[in-house]
mmCIF file of all heavy atoms in Angstrom:
data_model
loop_
_atom_site.group_PDB
_atom_site.id
_atom_site.type_symbol
_atom_site.label_atom_id
_atom_site.label_comp_id
_atom_site.label_asym_id
_atom_site.label_seq_id
_atom_site.Cartn_x
_atom_site.Cartn_y
_atom_site.Cartn_z
ATOM 1 N N VAL B 13 -10.668 -14.149 -19.243
ATOM 2 C CA VAL B 13 -10.063 -13.149 -18.363
ATOM 3 C C VAL B 13 -11.112 -12.551 -17.468
ATOM 4 O O VAL B 13 -12.037 -11.836 -17.953
ATOM 5 C CB VAL B 13 -9.368 -12.019 -19.186
ATOM 6 C CG1 VAL B 13 -8.876 -10.966 -18.254
ATOM 7 C CG2 VAL B 13 -8.286 -12.630 -19.997
ATOM 8 N N LYS B 14 -11.040 -12.808 -16.214
ATOM 9 C CA LYS B 14 -12.029 -12.308 -15.253
ATOM 10 C C LYS B 14 -11.986 -10.788 -15.203
ATOM 11 O O LYS B 14 -10.970 -10.198 -15.259
ATOM 12 C CB LYS B 14 -11.688 -12.866 -13.827
ATOM 13 C CG LYS B 14 -12.440 -14.132 -13.524
ATOM 14 C CD LYS B 14 -12.197 -14.449 -12.044
ATOM 15 C CE LYS B 14 -13.293 -15.324 -11.433
ATOM 16 N NZ LYS B 14 -13.006 -15.610 -10.044
ATOM 17 N N ASP B 15 -13.142 -10.223 -14.993
ATOM 18 C CA ASP B 15 -13.234 -8.817 -14.760
ATOM 19 C C ASP B 15 -12.574 -8.484 -13.453
ATOM 20 O O ASP B 15 -12.613 -9.184 -12.502
ATOM 21 C CB ASP B 15 -14.685 -8.377 -14.758
ATOM 22 C CG ASP B 15 -14.851 -6.864 -14.774
ATOM 23 O OD1 ASP B 15 -14.300 -6.238 -13.905
ATOM 24 O OD2 ASP B 15 -15.524 -6.383 -15.659
ATOM 25 N N ASN B 16 -11.952 -7.306 -13.437
ATOM 26 C CA ASN B 16 -11.331 -6.861 -12.170
ATOM 27 C C ASN B 16 -12.306 -6.826 -11.030
ATOM 28 O O ASN B 16 -11.951 -7.128 -9.887
ATOM 29 C CB ASN B 16 -10.758 -5.442 -12.329
ATOM 30 C CG ASN B 16 -9.413 -5.445 -13.007
ATOM 31 O OD1 ASN B 16 -8.667 -6.408 -12.845
ATOM 32 N ND2 ASN B 16 -9.084 -4.381 -13.684
ATOM 33 N N ASN B 17 -13.561 -6.504 -11.340
ATOM 34 C CA ASN B 17 -14.550 -6.363 -10.306
ATOM 35 C C ASN B 17 -14.999 -7.682 -9.706
ATOM 36 O O ASN B 17 -15.724 -7.694 -8.751
ATOM 37 C CB ASN B 17 -15.810 -5.628 -10.868
ATOM 38 C CG ASN B 17 -15.627 -4.144 -10.770
ATOM 39 O OD1 ASN B 17 -14.497 -3.618 -10.599
ATOM 40 N ND2 ASN B 17 -16.718 -3.412 -10.935
ATOM 41 N N ASP B 18 -14.504 -8.772 -10.270
ATOM 42 C CA ASP B 18 -14.791 -10.067 -9.661
ATOM 43 C C ASP B 18 -13.596 -10.587 -8.842
ATOM 44 O O ASP B 18 -13.635 -11.686 -8.354
ATOM 45 C CB ASP B 18 -15.111 -11.101 -10.780
ATOM 46 C CG ASP B 18 -16.471 -10.800 -11.433
ATOM 47 O OD1 ASP B 18 -17.344 -10.238 -10.736
ATOM 48 O OD2 ASP B 18 -16.595 -11.087 -12.632
ATOM 49 N N MET B 19 -12.595 -9.784 -8.731
ATOM 50 C CA MET B 19 -11.354 -10.192 -8.027
ATOM 51 C C MET B 19 -11.345 -9.536 -6.629
ATOM 52 O O MET B 19 -11.155 -8.305 -6.523
ATOM 53 C CB MET B 19 -10.131 -9.711 -8.796
ATOM 54 C CG MET B 19 -10.087 -10.218 -10.188
ATOM 55 S SD MET B 19 -8.912 -11.554 -10.303
ATOM 56 C CE MET B 19 -8.321 -11.293 -11.925
ATOM 57 N N PRO B 20 -11.482 -10.291 -5.618
ATOM 58 C CA PRO B 20 -11.431 -9.738 -4.241
ATOM 59 C C PRO B 20 -10.168 -8.945 -4.012
ATOM 60 O O PRO B 20 -10.173 -7.916 -3.334
ATOM 61 C CB PRO B 20 -11.544 -10.925 -3.336
ATOM 62 C CG PRO B 20 -11.457 -12.134 -4.172
ATOM 63 C CD PRO B 20 -11.739 -11.716 -5.548
ATOM 64 N N GLY B 21 -9.052 -9.416 -4.578
ATOM 65 C CA GLY B 21 -7.807 -8.669 -4.407
ATOM 66 C C GLY B 21 -7.858 -7.294 -4.957
ATOM 67 O O GLY B 21 -7.373 -6.319 -4.315
ATOM 68 N N HIS B 22 -8.449 -7.161 -6.160
ATOM 69 C CA HIS B 22 -8.541 -5.858 -6.754
ATOM 70 C C HIS B 22 -9.480 -4.966 -5.929
ATOM 71 O O HIS B 22 -9.205 -3.791 -5.680
ATOM 72 C CB HIS B 22 -9.086 -5.987 -8.210
ATOM 73 C CG HIS B 22 -9.335 -4.666 -8.897
ATOM 74 N ND1 HIS B 22 -8.328 -3.915 -9.434
ATOM 75 C CD2 HIS B 22 -10.498 -4.022 -9.087
ATOM 76 C CE1 HIS B 22 -8.845 -2.798 -9.932
ATOM 77 N NE2 HIS B 22 -10.136 -2.820 -9.749
ATOM 78 N N LEU B 23 -10.598 -5.520 -5.497
ATOM 79 C CA LEU B 23 -11.522 -4.728 -4.690
ATOM 80 C C LEU B 23 -10.884 -4.292 -3.391
ATOM 81 O O LEU B 23 -11.134 -3.195 -2.923
ATOM 82 C CB LEU B 23 -12.797 -5.559 -4.443
ATOM 83 C CG LEU B 23 -13.578 -5.965 -5.674
ATOM 84 C CD1 LEU B 23 -14.711 -6.899 -5.353
ATOM 85 C CD2 LEU B 23 -14.154 -4.722 -6.406
ATOM 86 N N ALA B 24 -10.059 -5.197 -2.839
ATOM 87 C CA ALA B 24 -9.419 -4.818 -1.612
ATOM 88 C C ALA B 24 -8.494 -3.607 -1.832
ATOM 89 O O ALA B 24 -8.455 -2.682 -0.993
ATOM 90 C CB ALA B 24 -8.582 -6.034 -1.076
ATOM 91 N N ARG B 25 -7.752 -3.639 -2.911
ATOM 92 C CA ARG B 25 -6.852 -2.524 -3.186
ATOM 93 C C ARG B 25 -7.613 -1.230 -3.374
ATOM 94 O O ARG B 25 -7.263 -0.160 -2.840
ATOM 95 C CB ARG B 25 -6.001 -2.813 -4.415
ATOM 96 C CG ARG B 25 -4.914 -1.745 -4.685
ATOM 97 C CD ARG B 25 -4.159 -2.032 -5.956
ATOM 98 N NE ARG B 25 -4.961 -1.878 -7.142
ATOM 99 C CZ ARG B 25 -5.236 -0.727 -7.733
ATOM 100 N NH1 ARG B 25 -4.778 0.394 -7.212
ATOM 101 N NH2 ARG B 25 -5.984 -0.676 -8.814
ATOM 102 N N ARG B 26 -8.683 -1.286 -4.116
ATOM 103 C CA ARG B 26 -9.472 -0.112 -4.380
ATOM 104 C C ARG B 26 -10.072 0.466 -3.125
ATOM 105 O O ARG B 26 -10.078 1.672 -2.893
ATOM 106 C CB ARG B 26 -10.640 -0.422 -5.383
ATOM 107 C CG ARG B 26 -10.167 -0.561 -6.777
ATOM 108 C CD ARG B 26 -9.868 0.765 -7.374
ATOM 109 N NE ARG B 26 -11.057 1.557 -7.667
ATOM 110 C CZ ARG B 26 -11.207 2.847 -7.369
ATOM 111 N NH1 ARG B 26 -10.247 3.490 -6.731
ATOM 112 N NH2 ARG B 26 -12.279 3.483 -7.665
ATOM 113 N N PHE B 27 -10.637 -0.377 -2.274
ATOM 114 C CA PHE B 27 -11.272 0.071 -1.090
ATOM 115 C C PHE B 27 -10.231 0.729 -0.148
ATOM 116 O O PHE B 27 -10.430 1.804 0.413
ATOM 117 C CB PHE B 27 -11.999 -1.043 -0.359
ATOM 118 C CG PHE B 27 -12.819 -0.650 0.786
ATOM 119 C CD1 PHE B 27 -13.775 0.350 0.670
ATOM 120 C CD2 PHE B 27 -12.635 -1.235 2.040
ATOM 121 C CE1 PHE B 27 -14.553 0.755 1.777
ATOM 122 C CE2 PHE B 27 -13.388 -0.843 3.132
ATOM 123 C CZ PHE B 27 -14.319 0.129 3.003
ATOM 124 N N GLN B 28 -9.114 0.133 -0.080
ATOM 125 C CA GLN B 28 -8.054 0.647 0.763
ATOM 126 C C GLN B 28 -7.563 1.974 0.233
ATOM 127 O O GLN B 28 -7.333 2.949 0.988
ATOM 128 C CB GLN B 28 -6.869 -0.356 0.809
ATOM 129 C CG GLN B 28 -6.231 -0.449 2.197
ATOM 130 C CD GLN B 28 -4.936 0.350 2.278
ATOM 131 O OE1 GLN B 28 -4.285 0.562 1.281
ATOM 132 N NE2 GLN B 28 -4.591 0.787 3.481
ATOM 133 N N GLN B 29 -7.412 2.051 -1.066
ATOM 134 C CA GLN B 29 -7.014 3.282 -1.743
ATOM 135 C C GLN B 29 -7.938 4.455 -1.363
ATOM 136 O O GLN B 29 -7.498 5.540 -1.004
ATOM 137 C CB GLN B 29 -7.037 3.033 -3.222
ATOM 138 C CG GLN B 29 -6.616 4.173 -4.131
ATOM 139 C CD GLN B 29 -6.761 3.768 -5.616
ATOM 140 O OE1 GLN B 29 -7.767 3.179 -5.991
ATOM 141 N NE2 GLN B 29 -5.761 4.038 -6.366
ATOM 142 N N ILE B 30 -9.226 4.186 -1.445
ATOM 143 C CA ILE B 30 -10.189 5.201 -1.087
ATOM 144 C C ILE B 30 -10.171 5.513 0.406
ATOM 145 O O ILE B 30 -10.211 6.676 0.806
ATOM 146 C CB ILE B 30 -11.632 4.725 -1.533
ATOM 147 C CG1 ILE B 30 -11.710 4.743 -3.011
ATOM 148 C CG2 ILE B 30 -12.714 5.609 -0.910
ATOM 149 C CD1 ILE B 30 -12.901 3.966 -3.580
ATOM 150 N N ALA B 31 -10.039 4.489 1.220
ATOM 151 C CA ALA B 31 -10.005 4.686 2.673
ATOM 152 C C ALA B 31 -8.825 5.590 3.070
ATOM 153 O O ALA B 31 -9.010 6.498 3.864
ATOM 154 C CB ALA B 31 -9.878 3.340 3.378
ATOM 155 N N VAL B 32 -7.685 5.373 2.461
ATOM 156 C CA VAL B 32 -6.534 6.211 2.764
ATOM 157 C C VAL B 32 -6.746 7.653 2.331
ATOM 158 O O VAL B 32 -6.465 8.610 3.062
ATOM 159 C CB VAL B 32 -5.230 5.654 2.165
ATOM 160 C CG1 VAL B 32 -4.094 6.632 2.283
ATOM 161 C CG2 VAL B 32 -4.875 4.312 2.783
ATOM 162 N N ALA B 33 -7.269 7.787 1.121
ATOM 163 C CA ALA B 33 -7.506 9.174 0.602
ATOM 164 C C ALA B 33 -8.479 9.887 1.488
ATOM 165 O O ALA B 33 -8.310 11.086 1.786
ATOM 166 C CB ALA B 33 -8.028 9.076 -0.844
ATOM 167 N N VAL B 34 -9.554 9.240 1.930
ATOM 168 C CA VAL B 34 -10.537 9.875 2.750
ATOM 169 C C VAL B 34 -9.927 10.259 4.111
ATOM 170 O O VAL B 34 -10.143 11.372 4.610
ATOM 171 C CB VAL B 34 -11.742 8.928 2.952
ATOM 172 C CG1 VAL B 34 -12.706 9.491 4.066
ATOM 173 C CG2 VAL B 34 -12.539 8.778 1.658
ATOM 174 N N PHE B 35 -9.185 9.350 4.651
ATOM 175 C CA PHE B 35 -8.535 9.616 5.944
ATOM 176 C C PHE B 35 -7.630 10.842 5.844
ATOM 177 O O PHE B 35 -7.731 11.768 6.676
ATOM 178 C CB PHE B 35 -7.683 8.386 6.378
ATOM 179 C CG PHE B 35 -7.068 8.514 7.733
ATOM 180 C CD1 PHE B 35 -7.625 7.904 8.848
ATOM 181 C CD2 PHE B 35 -5.918 9.261 7.905
ATOM 182 C CE1 PHE B 35 -7.049 8.030 10.087
ATOM 183 C CE2 PHE B 35 -5.311 9.389 9.138
ATOM 184 C CZ PHE B 35 -5.901 8.772 10.263
ATOM 185 N N LEU B 36 -6.758 10.866 4.884
ATOM 186 C CA LEU B 36 -5.851 11.965 4.720
ATOM 187 C C LEU B 36 -6.585 13.293 4.495
ATOM 188 O O LEU B 36 -6.175 14.338 5.037
ATOM 189 C CB LEU B 36 -4.860 11.708 3.606
ATOM 190 C CG LEU B 36 -3.880 10.566 3.843
ATOM 191 C CD1 LEU B 36 -2.996 10.374 2.635
ATOM 192 C CD2 LEU B 36 -2.992 10.846 5.068
ATOM 193 N N ALA B 37 -7.674 13.264 3.723
ATOM 194 C CA ALA B 37 -8.413 14.472 3.458
ATOM 195 C C ALA B 37 -9.078 15.002 4.729
ATOM 196 O O ALA B 37 -8.989 16.194 5.034
ATOM 197 C CB ALA B 37 -9.460 14.177 2.382
ATOM 198 N N GLU B 38 -9.726 14.089 5.449
ATOM 199 C CA GLU B 38 -10.418 14.549 6.700
ATOM 200 C C GLU B 38 -9.441 15.061 7.754
ATOM 201 O O GLU B 38 -9.652 16.083 8.370
ATOM 202 C CB GLU B 38 -11.203 13.388 7.256
ATOM 203 C CG GLU B 38 -12.482 13.018 6.448
ATOM 204 C CD GLU B 38 -13.423 14.207 6.346
ATOM 205 O OE1 GLU B 38 -13.933 14.667 7.378
ATOM 206 O OE2 GLU B 38 -13.689 14.659 5.183
ATOM 207 N N VAL B 39 -8.365 14.303 7.971
ATOM 208 C CA VAL B 39 -7.392 14.690 8.959
ATOM 209 C C VAL B 39 -6.664 15.965 8.522
ATOM 210 O O VAL B 39 -6.391 16.829 9.336
ATOM 211 C CB VAL B 39 -6.405 13.515 9.200
ATOM 212 C CG1 VAL B 39 -5.232 13.975 10.032
ATOM 213 C CG2 VAL B 39 -7.134 12.356 9.918
ATOM 214 N N GLY B 40 -6.409 16.042 7.236
ATOM 215 C CA GLY B 40 -5.764 17.258 6.721
ATOM 216 C C GLY B 40 -6.642 18.504 6.882
ATOM 217 O O GLY B 40 -6.188 19.527 7.324
ATOM 218 N N ASP B 41 -7.931 18.324 6.632
ATOM 219 C CA ASP B 41 -8.877 19.470 6.799
ATOM 220 C C ASP B 41 -8.933 19.867 8.277
ATOM 221 O O ASP B 41 -9.154 21.050 8.588
ATOM 222 C CB ASP B 41 -10.272 19.047 6.380
ATOM 223 C CG ASP B 41 -10.384 18.999 4.826
ATOM 224 O OD1 ASP B 41 -9.383 19.410 4.195
ATOM 225 O OD2 ASP B 41 -11.422 18.550 4.305
ATOM 226 N N ALA B 42 -8.701 18.917 9.149
ATOM 227 C CA ALA B 42 -8.712 19.245 10.595
ATOM 228 C C ALA B 42 -7.405 19.910 10.999
ATOM 229 O O ALA B 42 -7.204 20.234 12.187
ATOM 230 C CB ALA B 42 -8.960 18.000 11.429
ATOM 231 N N GLY B 43 -6.493 20.047 10.094
ATOM 232 C CA GLY B 43 -5.231 20.774 10.391
ATOM 233 C C GLY B 43 -4.104 19.879 10.826
ATOM 234 O O GLY B 43 -3.101 20.411 11.325
ATOM 235 N N PHE B 44 -4.210 18.550 10.598
ATOM 236 C CA PHE B 44 -3.140 17.680 11.036
ATOM 237 C C PHE B 44 -2.499 16.941 9.881
ATOM 238 O O PHE B 44 -3.150 16.702 8.830
ATOM 239 C CB PHE B 44 -3.681 16.647 12.062
ATOM 240 C CG PHE B 44 -3.950 17.226 13.384
ATOM 241 C CD1 PHE B 44 -5.208 17.774 13.683
ATOM 242 C CD2 PHE B 44 -2.953 17.308 14.337
ATOM 243 C CE1 PHE B 44 -5.473 18.340 14.917
ATOM 244 C CE2 PHE B 44 -3.185 17.897 15.575
ATOM 245 C CZ PHE B 44 -4.433 18.384 15.890
ATOM 246 N N ASP B 45 -1.230 16.588 10.053
ATOM 247 C CA ASP B 45 -0.531 15.878 9.019
ATOM 248 C C ASP B 45 -0.132 14.512 9.579
ATOM 249 O O ASP B 45 0.975 14.315 10.046
ATOM 250 C CB ASP B 45 0.723 16.700 8.632
ATOM 251 C CG ASP B 45 1.603 15.952 7.653
ATOM 252 O OD1 ASP B 45 1.027 15.186 6.837
ATOM 253 O OD2 ASP B 45 2.815 16.170 7.680
ATOM 254 N N LEU B 46 -1.101 13.626 9.544
ATOM 255 C CA LEU B 46 -0.872 12.288 10.165
ATOM 256 C C LEU B 46 -1.439 11.236 9.238
ATOM 257 O O LEU B 46 -2.553 11.387 8.741
ATOM 258 C CB LEU B 46 -1.566 12.221 11.524
ATOM 259 C CG LEU B 46 -0.913 11.439 12.630
ATOM 260 C CD1 LEU B 46 0.429 12.053 13.028
ATOM 261 C CD2 LEU B 46 -1.819 11.362 13.811
ATOM 262 N N THR B 47 -0.666 10.167 8.954
ATOM 263 C CA THR B 47 -1.157 9.103 8.099
ATOM 264 C C THR B 47 -1.961 8.133 8.923
ATOM 265 O O THR B 47 -1.923 8.106 10.151
ATOM 266 C CB THR B 47 0.039 8.394 7.473
ATOM 267 O OG1 THR B 47 0.732 7.695 8.481
ATOM 268 C CG2 THR B 47 0.961 9.325 6.765
ATOM 269 N N PRO B 48 -2.728 7.267 8.203
ATOM 270 C CA PRO B 48 -3.515 6.239 8.937
ATOM 271 C C PRO B 48 -2.600 5.371 9.805
ATOM 272 O O PRO B 48 -2.965 5.056 10.938
ATOM 273 C CB PRO B 48 -4.102 5.403 7.780
ATOM 274 C CG PRO B 48 -4.179 6.345 6.624
ATOM 275 C CD PRO B 48 -3.006 7.251 6.782
ATOM 276 N N VAL B 49 -1.465 5.007 9.276
ATOM 277 C CA VAL B 49 -0.579 4.131 10.048
ATOM 278 C C VAL B 49 -0.063 4.880 11.276
ATOM 279 O O VAL B 49 -0.001 4.293 12.367
ATOM 280 C CB VAL B 49 0.608 3.752 9.139
ATOM 281 C CG1 VAL B 49 1.677 3.008 9.926
ATOM 282 C CG2 VAL B 49 0.172 2.910 7.962
ATOM 283 N N GLN B 50 0.303 6.130 11.101
ATOM 284 C CA GLN B 50 0.818 6.897 12.280
ATOM 285 C C GLN B 50 -0.303 7.067 13.282
ATOM 286 O O GLN B 50 -0.024 6.964 14.501
ATOM 287 C CB GLN B 50 1.314 8.269 11.785
ATOM 288 C CG GLN B 50 2.626 8.195 11.002
ATOM 289 C CD GLN B 50 2.919 9.475 10.272
ATOM 290 O OE1 GLN B 50 2.360 10.558 10.582
ATOM 291 N NE2 GLN B 50 3.831 9.382 9.323
ATOM 292 N N TYR B 51 -1.522 7.258 12.877
ATOM 293 C CA TYR B 51 -2.614 7.414 13.789
ATOM 294 C C TYR B 51 -2.812 6.109 14.590
ATOM 295 O O TYR B 51 -2.952 6.124 15.836
ATOM 296 C CB TYR B 51 -3.915 7.793 13.052
ATOM 297 C CG TYR B 51 -5.099 7.674 13.955
ATOM 298 C CD1 TYR B 51 -5.398 8.721 14.836
ATOM 299 C CD2 TYR B 51 -5.961 6.568 13.946
ATOM 300 C CE1 TYR B 51 -6.496 8.626 15.682
ATOM 301 C CE2 TYR B 51 -7.038 6.464 14.819
ATOM 302 C CZ TYR B 51 -7.293 7.498 15.653
ATOM 303 O OH TYR B 51 -8.354 7.385 16.532
ATOM 304 N N ALA B 52 -2.843 5.008 13.888
ATOM 305 C CA ALA B 52 -3.062 3.730 14.560
ATOM 306 C C ALA B 52 -1.976 3.463 15.575
ATOM 307 O O ALA B 52 -2.242 3.010 16.706
ATOM 308 C CB ALA B 52 -3.139 2.599 13.527
ATOM 309 N N ALA B 53 -0.745 3.747 15.192
ATOM 310 C CA ALA B 53 0.381 3.535 16.107
ATOM 311 C C ALA B 53 0.194 4.419 17.337
ATOM 312 O O ALA B 53 0.361 3.998 18.489
ATOM 313 C CB ALA B 53 1.698 3.800 15.380
ATOM 314 N N LEU B 54 -0.074 5.691 17.128
ATOM 315 C CA LEU B 54 -0.222 6.639 18.206
ATOM 316 C C LEU B 54 -1.303 6.220 19.171
ATOM 317 O O LEU B 54 -1.112 6.226 20.383
ATOM 318 C CB LEU B 54 -0.490 8.070 17.632
ATOM 319 C CG LEU B 54 -0.480 9.237 18.605
ATOM 320 C CD1 LEU B 54 0.843 9.297 19.321
ATOM 321 C CD2 LEU B 54 -0.808 10.499 17.884
#
Side-chain angles (χ1 to χ4, degrees):
Chain B
V13 175
K14 265 188 157 180
D15 190 304
N16 277 331
N17 274 16
D18 292 329
M19 302 257 214
H22 176 78
L23 297 173
R25 187 183 66 82
R26 282 287 288 135
F27 186 54
Q28 219 259 333
Q29 180 182 46
I30 291 166
V32 171
V34 168
F35 184 101
L36 292 177
E38 289 299 300
V39 169
D41 286 353
F44 287 91
D45 177 30
L46 216 64
T47 66
V49 173
Q50 289 167 16
Y51 170 80
L54 187 58

